[in-house]
Amino acid sequence: MDFPFDLISDEEYERQRTLHEPLTQAVRELIDAGIRTDLDEAGVREARAAIEAVTERLRSVQRSQTSTLRHADTGRPLAWANPAVGVRNAIAPPMDIKHEDTGRCWAEFELGVAYEGPPGLVHGGICALVLDHILGEAASDGLTKPLFTGTITLRYLRGTPLGRLRAEAFVERSEGIKTYARGYLGDTDGWSVEADGVFIRPAWARES
Amino acid sequence: MDFPFDLISDEEYERQRTLHEPLTQAVRELIDAGIRTDLDEAGVREARAAIEAVTERLRSVQRSQTSTLRHADTGRPLAWANPAVGVRNAIAPPMDIKHEDTGRCWAEFELGVAYEGPPGLVHGGICALVLDHILGEAASDGLTKPLFTGTITLRYLRGTPLGRLRAEAFVERSEGIKTYARGYLGDTDGWSVEADGVFIRPAWARES
């Protein structure tokens, strides 16, 4: 047993990515503009009506495909909708995660005002989102193995400034159904948050 | 020393909330529609151009006000832009956090496909975002005290289904500069994630 999935060719993947990445990026800019705007009431109402019209148009044709798509070549899931890495999810920064041969993962990405907690700093919960995701990627070998987070501990060493950031993660060890991963988030001044996670292979995936 | 802030009257708060909440909600719907759409290439390009036009209009008048606004009556910050609770941030579900006289906080909110990790389940990092935020609210008495997350540990008891959820948090004890908070996330079947956090009063706030 596994999650349902369909394979997608490299060509179709690139076609969809090229089409949807700029749309998602436009929505990210809109999120930012919505936070910062001081437009008058009539202007805000017009903006809202225009957005609702776009939403209606996008919804006029919906994906029937709701199962996970996997690369025909690599077996890696596409995670279009994922709130950390999804190229079709405007909530995602998105993290573009690189997998090294050693199993270590890393990503460099930009977090703007939409991810702010204390003034000028990334919200602690967004640091947790980013680290939970990259530890999970390392533990599951790029999401190719079914694994759930069991426990994760985050240590905040200092505030994480908004702007360009880097996250890394790697597997420390595996014991039976448990995989122990560790990771870091920070900027050019060094790490600002450390994370340790225990990831667990679910019961239904232990037979195979 | 404290973060810079300006006071806002109840009336002005309500005016801004009434104006911006529907705009932000329209952007949330757009995020969802962007994930689900299967519109053809011409349609997606038109949607993108329409979104870019709205963004440009919203950016034509930007807030000069970038410091935190606080309620004139309660002293609570408005956190318009916060990615967990911000009524002007489309990334936020948003959580509408209720503070009880006992100091306990709770929120009920809906998480849809934009917050999905494994199929049908909330991304573990989104569970972490929600819990980090509500523990912080409990520890800082509704964000009226300056506090930073020191450490947070999340225990995932089972997958958290997408849909209607409830989160709660309360302070267990305080010792010197440290406040220990605990919280839960779950649905009508019970809690799915537990969290323990240690929150620390920053050095610059210890003199006052």
Side-chain angles (χ1 to χ4, degrees), chain B residues 23-51:
Chain B
L23 177 70
T24 314
Q25 190 53 37
V27 180
R28 288 191 189 104
E29 296 289 332
L30 178 65
I31 293 170
D32 181 274
I35 292 170
R36 297 173 190 269
T37 194
D38 203 16
L39 204 59
D40 61 20
E41 301 203 6
V44 170
R45 286 209 189 86
E46 280 166 32
R48 176 186 159 198
I51 293 164

Side-chain angles (χ1 to χ4, degrees), chain B residues 98-180:
Chain B
K98 310 294 185 188
H99 293 265
E100 299 193 348
D101 291 342
T102 57
R104 183 178 279 262
C105 302
W106 60 274
E108 291 188 355
F109 49 93
E110 192 96 16
L111 295 183
V113 73
Y115 302 96
E116 189 181 59
L121 301 176
V122 180
H123 190 294
I126 295 292
C127 298
L129 166 63
V130 159
L131 282 164
D132 173 83
H133 190 88
I134 201 163
L135 264 70
E137 288 255 0
S140 65
D141 202 5
L143 308 182
T144 59
K145 298 176 191 164
L147 278 185
F148 286 87
T149 315
T151 309
I152 188 166
T153 298
L154 301 136
R155 283 175 299 282
Y156 295 84
L157 310 173
R158 62 180 169 93
T160 302
L162 293 178
R164 190 87 188 155
L165 299 172
R166 181 183 173 94
E168 290 186 17
F170 57 93
V171 170
E172 282 198 317
R173 64 184 193 284
S174 293
E175 286 171 15
I177 62 163
K178 293 185 180 175
T179 299
Y180 295 81

